[in-house]
């Protein structure tokens, strides 16, 4: 009877329940009843309005089986749900999905690893289904939290731990795919979700990486094995997540990376941080690269008070990021990158000098380590600046060169540069060297179409200023930067080292015809280049590298910029350098004097072969041969040896050892060169750069009170004997009326002192002074009462020479005194 009642009750149950019950066998080991599952699937497809009830009933049975630990029936229920999901795509599937997600949540909440993995697999299958319409009300907060927790599984059994972590990563991957496909981007990219997803993926990437690093480099696994590796799976998921990021949510995906690296102290060492940001830069869309760079710069500002190694780790990450970003779109962050890096360069110098000052009297042993750590930071900044700049297009690189040069501090000036007032001389020098080193890297490989583009006037002037500093390293950096910009045909490597080149044609020098723009550049700025080479040879702290770089500068100028006029100027410069060593007005050490002589020999040997004038080559070769026998210390192969016997004195009358201007002029004149200017000795221009660089001026005092006439003709003599009257004297001291004339007079006088031979200037000054003295004496005898003693003197000076003194007398005219 009871059986009959049960049959009747069963017959009265809804059909969908009967179909669901029939798919469960008596023994769960037999698995899903396939024939009844086909009937259930056909019924669900035919009557989609019943899907929600089928799902609710399956969820009820599954919950009951989970509680009773009847895991066999749980597996059957989830298999049935998966098949129904794959078969049904009607709009009525939405309620069924809710039941399905409820059942997956039940499995994930259970403490049984098998059920958690089962629920994850079902969710991944569901994530791969494309629904017809998005479901805006559906949220995946629970699944994000649960899958993230599974990624951090610490089960004592390694196999179970590995399986749960893989399930968690695959679940996160499914959530990301489903959320994006459902157009719920704003939901999944919210910070509360990214703060769970991203660290979970990074945890697995780093955790397995630690194991690999301890056991050595892993062998190349098969594709199937690699899929079971949580590290590889997490990396793939991380790449996919970043690849789906858009403009509005990029920062939310990147910021948790910084939090993870900070929390686990992964900036020092920073191998994992570098690998993370390489993945980020290669995974995101190229136009969003500047977002990542801005985030790194912002984090560097946040951690500016951290240890040097942490800051160096962040800067190295920035280097890797900009190296990738420079190949694509970098957006508006170029100047921001350089501004931030220069700011941190200043901070690092402050820290280094502060540690040095604080421990000056304490004698602590940690000072050197702190300084070396700060040097690591500074080198990382320089490398980043240089690498970033060298990867920019030429038009942007020139702007960056100007920008960096404007930041180089110059003592005694106020500009937009890094303020050196609080750094002192040592700190200023450190920043100067580091900025020039970074500028050297930026200019590496730069190929300007014309020299005026590579060396515009606003860039050339501040660049050459440090070449006057009393610091050999600064001067070396300036010359190397000049080489990068001048050498447009990659000839510098062929000229490396200073030597007497037997045959220049063996070097296979590449050169083009000098363009009009280059000729114009040399007319405007050639004297600046000559001047800095000239003054660079006069520095006492020059070493072999300085002379090598000076030789390369002269050779590159000859190759790239020399026409006939420039060749004459370069020869005048070379003879003037030889005079530096012979006359030795600056009291240079003997090594420097011999080094300058060797430099001139090496350069004139190179120049004579480049212009190929036989008589010129013969004279140069003869001098070099004579030196090799009688004064080998005047040749670079000898003087720059480690042990070289220096002469005690340098005789000025040994003409055979010197390059003679008259013979050079004779040899070049026969080949059509205009050699008139060779008779005018080279004298460098006087500029304010001497004052800015704290060097002694070429002309210490230019106190000229008498106009020096430029000619020696009869007309000049007539003017010299012109009558001097009281009106003329009164007019001469009227400063307001003749201010402009006085300025022009001073300019002409200085120009004459720069270009005219010394003996001519001395003779004219003395003649002029004597004539004026005699003429004034004649006037004073007639109109002026001589005082008992002179009240002053008038001195005409040029350089350090005083030529004549004239007494100053008080005149009868009231409030008038003639000087």
């Amino acid at each position: 009877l009871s059986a009959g009642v049960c049959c009747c009750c069963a017959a009265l149950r809804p059909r969908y329940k009967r179909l669901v019950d029939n798919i469960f066998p008596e023994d769960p080991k037999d698995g899903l009843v396939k024939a009844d599952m086909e009937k259930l699937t056909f019924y669900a497809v035919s009557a989609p309005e019943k899907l929600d009830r089928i799902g609710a009933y399956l969820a009820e049975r599954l919950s009951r089986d989970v509680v009773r630990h009847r895991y066999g029936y749980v597996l059957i229920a989830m298999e049935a749900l998966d098949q129904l999901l794959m078969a049904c795509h009607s709009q009525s599937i939405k309620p069924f999905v809710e039941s399905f997600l409820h059942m997956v949540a039940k499995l994930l909440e259970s403490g049984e690893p098998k059920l958690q993995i089962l629920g994850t697999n079902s969710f991944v299958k569901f994530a791969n289904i494309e629904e017809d319409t998005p479901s805006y009300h559906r949220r995946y907060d629970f699944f994000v939290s649960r899958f993230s927790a599974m990624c951090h599984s610490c089960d004592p059994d390694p196999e179970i731990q590995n399986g749960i972590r893989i399930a968690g990563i695959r679940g996160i991957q499914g959530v990301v795919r489903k959320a994006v496909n459902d157009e719920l981007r704003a939901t999944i990219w919210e910070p509360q979700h990214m703060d769970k997803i991203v660290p979970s993926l990074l945890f697995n990437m780093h955790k397995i990486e630690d194991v690999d690093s301890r056991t050595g480099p892993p062998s190349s696994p098969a594709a199937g094995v690699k899929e079971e590796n949580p590290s590889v799976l997490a990396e793939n998921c991380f790449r996919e997540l970043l690849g789906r990021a858009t403009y509005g949510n990029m920062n939310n995906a990147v910021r948790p990376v910084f939090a993870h690296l900070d929390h686990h102290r992964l900036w020092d060492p920073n191998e994992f941080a570098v690998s993370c940001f390489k993945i980020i830069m290669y995974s995101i869309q190229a136009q969003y690269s500047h977002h990542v760079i801005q985030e790194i710069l912002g984090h560097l500002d946040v951690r500016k008070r951290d240890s040097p190694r942490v800051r160096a780790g962040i800067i190295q990450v920035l280097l890797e990021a900009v190296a990738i970003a420079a190949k694509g779109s970098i957006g508006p962050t170029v100047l921001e990158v350089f501004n931030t890096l220069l700011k941190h360069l200043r901070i690092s110098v402050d820290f280094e000098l502060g540690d040095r000052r604080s421990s000056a009297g304490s004698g602590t042993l940690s000072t050197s380590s702190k300084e070396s750590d700060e040097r690591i930071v500074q080198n990382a900044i320089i490398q980043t600046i240089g690498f970033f700049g060298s990867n920019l297009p030429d038009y942007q690189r020139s702007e960056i060169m100007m920008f960096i040069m404007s930041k180089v501090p110059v003592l005694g000036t106020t500009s937009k540069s890094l303020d050196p007032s609080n750094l002192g001389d040592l700190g200023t020098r450190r920043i100067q060297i580091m900025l020039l080193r970074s500028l050297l890297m930026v200019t590496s490989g730069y190929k300007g179409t014309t020299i005026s583009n590579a060396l515009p006037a606003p860039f050339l002037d501040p660049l050459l200023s440090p070449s006057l500093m009393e610091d050999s390293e600064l001067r070396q950096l300036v010359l190397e930067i000049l080489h990068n910009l001048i050498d447009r045909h990659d000839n510098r490597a062929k000229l490396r080292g200073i030597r007497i080149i037997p045959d220049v044609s063996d070097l296979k020098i590449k050169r083009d015809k000098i363009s009009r723009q280059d000729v114009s550049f040399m007319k405007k700025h050639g004297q600046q280049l000559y001047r800095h080479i000239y003054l660079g040879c006069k520095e006492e702290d020059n070493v072999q590298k300085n002379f090598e770089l000076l030789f390369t500068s002269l050779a590159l100028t000859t190759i790239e910029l020399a026409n006939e006029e420039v060749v004459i100027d370069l020869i005048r410069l070379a003879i003037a350098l030889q005079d530096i060593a012979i006359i030795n007005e600056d009291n240079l050490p003997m090594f420097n004097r011999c080094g300058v002589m060797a430099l001139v020999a090496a350069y004139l040997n190179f120049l004579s072969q480049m212009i190929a004038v036989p008589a010129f080559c013969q004279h140069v070769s003869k001098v070099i041969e004579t030196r090799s026998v009688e004064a080998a210390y005047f040749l670079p192969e000898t003087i720059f040896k480690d042990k070289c016997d220096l002469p005690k004195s340098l005789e000025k009358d040994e003409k055979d050892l010197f390059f003679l201007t008259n013979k050079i002029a004779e040899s070049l004149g026969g080949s059509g060169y205009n050699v008139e200017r060779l008779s005018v000795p080279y004298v460098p221009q006087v500029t304010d750069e001497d004052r800015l660089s704290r060097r002694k001026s070429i002309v210490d005092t230019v106190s000229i009170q008498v106009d020096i006439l430029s000619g020696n003709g009869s007309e000049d003599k007539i003017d010299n004997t012109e009558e001097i009257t009281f009106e003329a004297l009164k007019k001469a001291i009227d400063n307001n009326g003749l201010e402009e004339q006085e300025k022009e007079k001073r300019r002409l006088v200085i120009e004459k002192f720069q270009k005219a031979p010394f003996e001519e200037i001395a003779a004219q000054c003395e003649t002029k002074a004597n004539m004026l003295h005699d003429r004034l004496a004649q006037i004073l005898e007639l109109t002026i009462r001589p005082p008992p003693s002179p009240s002053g003197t008038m001195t005409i000076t040029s350089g350090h020479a005083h030529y004549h003194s004239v007494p100053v007398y008080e005149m009868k005219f009231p409030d008038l005194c003639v000087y």
Side-chain angles (χ1 to χ4, degrees):
L1 180 62
S2 60
V5 173
C6 291
C7 290
C8 293
C9 293
L12 294 175
R13 298 184 68 192
R15 185 182 178 186
Y16 73 88
K17 287 187 177 182
R18 283 182 278 133
L19 291 173
V20 170
D21 291 337
N22 291 339
I23 66 174
F24 292 95
E26 292 184 3
D27 188 356
K29 295 180 180 180
D30 295 338
L32 182 67
V33 181
K34 294 183 179 180
D36 291 327
M37 186 63 214
E38 291 177 359
K39 294 178 183 180
L40 178 61
T41 303
F42 179 77
Y43 176 77
V45 173
S46 303
E49 69 276 3
K50 299 293 184 179
L51 271 173
D52 57 336
R53 300 183 183 182
I54 294 173
Y57 185 61
L58 274 171
E60 181 184 342
R61 289 204 53 154
L62 182 137
S63 299
R64 184 170 63 247
D65 292 335
V66 169
V67 172
R68 296 176 180 178
H69 301 284
R70 299 168 64 180
Y71 299 137
Y73 288 118
V74 172
L75 295 175
I76 293 173
M78 292 307 301
E79 185 178 355
L81 283 169
D82 293 342
Q83 292 189 23
L84 288 173
L85 277 174
M86 299 299 294
C88 302
H89 295 283
S90 66
Q91 294 186 0
S92 302
I93 200 175
K94 301 302 180 199
F96 176 75
V97 169
E98 299 302 326
S99 300
F100 168 78
L101 295 177
H102 177 70
M103 286 183 280
V104 172
K106 283 286 186 182
L107 296 180
L108 296 177
E109 287 178 336
S110 67
E112 183 62 33
K114 292 182 179 179
L115 297 184
Q116 294 178 359
I117 296 173
L118 177 64
T120 302
N121 293 336
S122 295
F123 184 85
V124 171
K125 293 177 183 178
F126 162 70
N128 292 327
I129 297 175
E130 295 185 5
E131 301 182 47
D132 296 335
T133 58
S135 178
Y136 294 101
H137 65 281
R138 188 184 305 154
R139 297 186 65 87
Y140 299 98
D141 300 16
F142 168 79
F143 295 100
V144 170
S145 300
R146 190 58 194 160
F147 288 138
S148 299
M150 291 169 63
C151 290
H152 294 82
S153 174
C154 296
D155 195 281
D157 189 342
E159 292 186 4
I160 295 176
Q161 180 189 104
N162 195 60
I164 294 176
R165 288 186 177 181
I166 290 176
I169 297 169
R170 293 181 62 201
I172 289 177
Q173 194 173 30
V175 170
V176 173
R177 290 177 180 174
K178 194 63 179 175
V180 174
N181 290 337
D182 279 353
E183 300 181 4
L184 295 179
R185 297 177 176 85
T187 301
I188 195 62
W189 296 107
E190 291 177 357
Q192 63 266 27
H193 298 322
M194 288 292 105
D195 290 345
K196 298 174 184 176
I197 292 175
V198 174
S200 301
L201 299 176
L202 296 178
F203 174 78
N204 283 275
M205 291 165 60
H206 183 239
K207 199 69 177 178
I208 304 302
E209 187 175 281
D210 286 345
V211 175
D212 292 341
S213 64
R214 289 195 300 267
T215 58
S219 58
S220 300
V225 178
K226 187 180 290 185
E227 190 66 25
E228 297 300 320
N229 187 341
S231 178
V232 175
L233 189 61
E235 181 178 330
N236 292 336
C237 182
F238 189 50
R239 290 180 184 274
E240 183 178 348
L241 174 69
L242 295 167
R244 295 175 180 271
T246 60
Y247 180 85
N249 47 50
M250 174 60 62
N251 294 342
N252 291 341
V254 174
R255 285 170 185 165
V257 178
F258 294 104
H260 179 83
L261 297 175
D262 289 343
H263 180 71
H264 294 279
R265 299 179 180 178
L266 298 177
W267 295 112
D268 178 33
N270 68 337
E271 288 81 5
F272 179 71
V274 170
S275 65
C276 281
F277 278 91
K278 282 186 176 180
I279 292 173
I280 292 172
M281 297 302 294
Y282 282 118
S283 299
I284 63 176
Q285 300 180 44
Q287 62 268 29
Y288 303 148
S289 297
H290 62 279
H291 278 288
V292 181
I293 296 176
Q294 285 175 332
E295 290 295 324
I296 299 174
L297 293 173
H299 196 69
L300 182 61
D301 287 335
V302 172
R303 304 298 299 272
K304 63 183 178 182
R305 297 294 178 184
D306 280 31
S307 66
R309 291 188 175 273
V310 170
R311 287 181 279 128
I314 299 174
I315 294 169
Q316 187 176 356
V317 167
L318 178 64
L319 170 61
E320 298 293 339
V322 299
I324 299 171
K327 300 174 183 178
S329 172
I330 50 177
T333 59
V334 178
L335 291 181
E336 183 181 354
V337 170
F338 288 101
N339 255 330
T340 303
L341 290 175
L342 293 178
K343 178 179 68 176
H344 285 276
L345 187 64
R346 166 64 187 269
I347 292 174
S348 178
V349 173
D350 283 341
F351 285 159
E352 179 186 357
L353 298 180
D355 293 338
R356 183 178 300 178
R357 286 191 293 266
S358 63
S359 57
S362 60
T364 56
L365 298 177
S366 61
T367 304
S368 59
S369 63
K370 288 182 179 179
E371 289 183 6
S372 62
D373 289 346
E374 289 297 342
R375 295 292 177 92
I376 294 174
V377 176
Q378 295 160 14
N379 290 333
I381 293 175
I382 293 169
Q383 189 178 9
T384 304
I385 291 175
F387 192 85
F388 191 20
S390 62
N391 280 278
L392 292 174
D394 285 345
Y395 73 92
Q396 265 188 331
R397 202 192 308 196
S398 60
E399 295 179 0
I400 295 305
M401 288 158 48
M402 297 279 292
F403 179 78
I404 296 177
M405 199 66 241
S406 68
K407 297 294 183 180
V408 177
V410 179
L411 291 171
T413 63
T414 57
S415 63
K416 297 180 181 179
S417 62
L418 299 179
D419 181 19
S421 56
N422 298 325
L423 291 174
D425 291 350
L426 179 61
T428 301
R429 177 187 176 276
R430 288 283 301 148
I431 289 183
Q432 287 172 335
I433 289 177
M434 288 184 286
L435 288 179
L436 290 177
R437 283 174 56 194
S438 63
L439 186 59
L440 178 63
M441 295 186 66
V442 172
T443 56
S444 177
Y446 180 76
K447 294 292 186 296
T449 54
T450 62
I451 293 296
S452 57
N453 290 338
L455 289 169
F459 177 75
L460 180 63
D461 294 338
L463 174 64
L464 293 179
S465 293
S467 69
L468 301 178
M469 299 290 183
E470 296 178 352
D471 188 297
S472 61
E473 186 175 359
L474 281 173
R475 299 195 302 274
Q476 292 171 12
L477 290 171
V478 171
L479 291 174
E480 288 176 340
I481 293 170
L482 279 175
H483 298 169
N484 282 345
L485 298 173
I486 294 176
D487 184 18
R488 292 172 289 180
H489 297 88
D490 298 323
N491 293 312
R492 183 175 26 168
K494 304 171 186 177
L495 302 168
R496 184 171 292 118
I498 179 171
R499 64 196 186 280
I500 302 297
I501 303 174
D503 191 353
V504 174
S505 62
D506 292 340
L507 301 180
K508 297 180 180 180
I509 299 293
K510 297 178 182 179
R511 61 185 305 189
D512 294 329
K513 186 178 179 180
I514 309 301
S515 64
R516 289 184 178 180
Q517 293 86 347
D518 292 345
V519 172
S520 176
F521 174 86
M522 289 304 293
K523 287 183 178 179
K524 293 180 180 178
H525 306 290
Q527 294 299 324
Q528 285 180 272
L529 296 177
Y530 306 150
R531 175 176 185 268
H532 288 270
I533 293 174
Y534 179 86
L535 296 178
C537 291
K538 298 175 67 174
E539 298 293 344
E540 294 185 6
D541 60 342
N542 280 339
V543 294
Q544 179 178 349
K545 185 176 181 180
N546 291 88
F547 289 110
E548 290 178 352
L549 293 173
L550 289 166
F551 166 74
T552 306
S553 301
L554 289 168
L556 289 176
T557 304
T558 305
I559 295 170
E560 297 286 348
L561 301 169
N563 56 8
E564 289 190 7
E565 183 179 349
V566 174
V567 167
I568 298 299
D569 286 336
L570 289 171
I571 294 175
R572 291 176 59 221
L573 174 61
I575 298 301
L577 294 177
Q578 180 178 254
D579 292 341
I580 290 176
I582 297 174
I583 301 173
N584 196 27
E585 291 181 345
D586 297 284
N587 296 321
L588 294 175
M590 185 56 68
F591 170 79
N592 294 66
R593 298 173 68 185
C594 293
V596 173
M597 297 292 282
L599 168 64
V600 173
Y603 174 64
L604 288 181
N605 171 71
F606 175 83
L607 176 63
S608 63
Q609 297 185 55
M610 287 295 293
I611 64 177
V613 176
F616 185 26
C617 293
Q618 184 178 1
H619 172 64
V620 173
S621 299
K622 184 178 179 181
V623 173
I624 292 175
E625 290 175 3
T626 306
R627 288 185 179 185
S628 62
V629 176
E630 300 180 10
Y633 42 78
F634 284 166
L635 298 177
E637 289 81 359
T638 302
I639 187 61
F640 295 123
K641 287 182 178 179
D642 292 337
K643 294 181 180 180
C644 176
D645 295 330
L646 297 175
K648 296 182 180 179
S649 63
L650 199 160
E651 300 298 333
K652 301 179 181 179
D653 55 353
E654 297 179 359
K655 302 291 185 180
D656 294 339
L657 299 178
F658 306 141
F659 301 99
L660 303 178
T661 304
N662 57 346
K663 292 190 176 182
I664 295 176
E666 181 181 349
S667 63
L668 293 179
S671 298
Y673 281 82
N674 184 4
V675 296
E676 292 181 1
R677 295 173 57 245
L678 281 178
S679 60
V680 181
Y682 170 78
V683 178
Q685 296 176 345
V686 182
T687 68
D688 289 339
E689 291 175 349
D690 300 293
R691 176 181 57 82
L692 299 181
S693 59
R694 293 185 174 181
R695 294 182 79 260
K696 292 182 179 180
S697 178
I698 302 169
V699 181
D700 291 337
T701 59
V702 182
S703 176
I704 307 296
Q705 304 297 335
V706 181
D707 187 15
I708 302 175
L709 300 180
S710 58
N712 296 321
S714 58
E715 295 180 0
D716 294 334
K717 295 180 179 179
I718 294 173
D719 293 336
N720 289 340
T721 59
E722 186 178 14
E723 183 179 0
I724 300 177
T725 63
F726 168 72
E727 293 298 330
L729 293 175
K730 184 176 181 181
K731 184 177 180 181
I733 62 174
D734 187 2
N735 295 329
N736 295 330
L738 298 178
E739 183 177 356
E740 295 298 327
Q741 292 183 8
E742 289 298 326
K743 289 182 180 179
E744 182 65 17
K745 282 184 179 182
R746 293 190 191 100
R747 188 189 68 78
L748 293 174
V749 168
I750 293 175
E751 183 177 352
K752 189 169 188 66
F753 268 83
Q754 291 175 345
K755 296 181 179 180
F758 178 81
E759 294 78 6
E760 179 183 345
I761 296 174
Q764 289 189 13
C765 286
E766 186 171 2
T767 302
K768 184 73 174 179
N770 289 335
M771 293 175 59
L772 183 61
H773 177 270
D774 296 340
R775 190 61 177 166
L776 285 174
Q778 294 175 6
I779 297 174
L780 293 171
E781 287 178 359
L782 301 174
T783 60
I784 304 176
R785 175 180 54 83
S789 62
S791 60
T793 60
M794 177 181 69
T795 304
I796 304 171
T797 65
S798 174
H800 302 284
H802 297 261
Y803 299 112
H804 202 76
S805 298
V806 180
V808 178
Y809 299 94
E810 294 179 358
M811 307 182 74
K812 292 182 178 180
F813 308 102
D815 302 327
L816 182 62
C817 183
V818 179
Y819 294 91

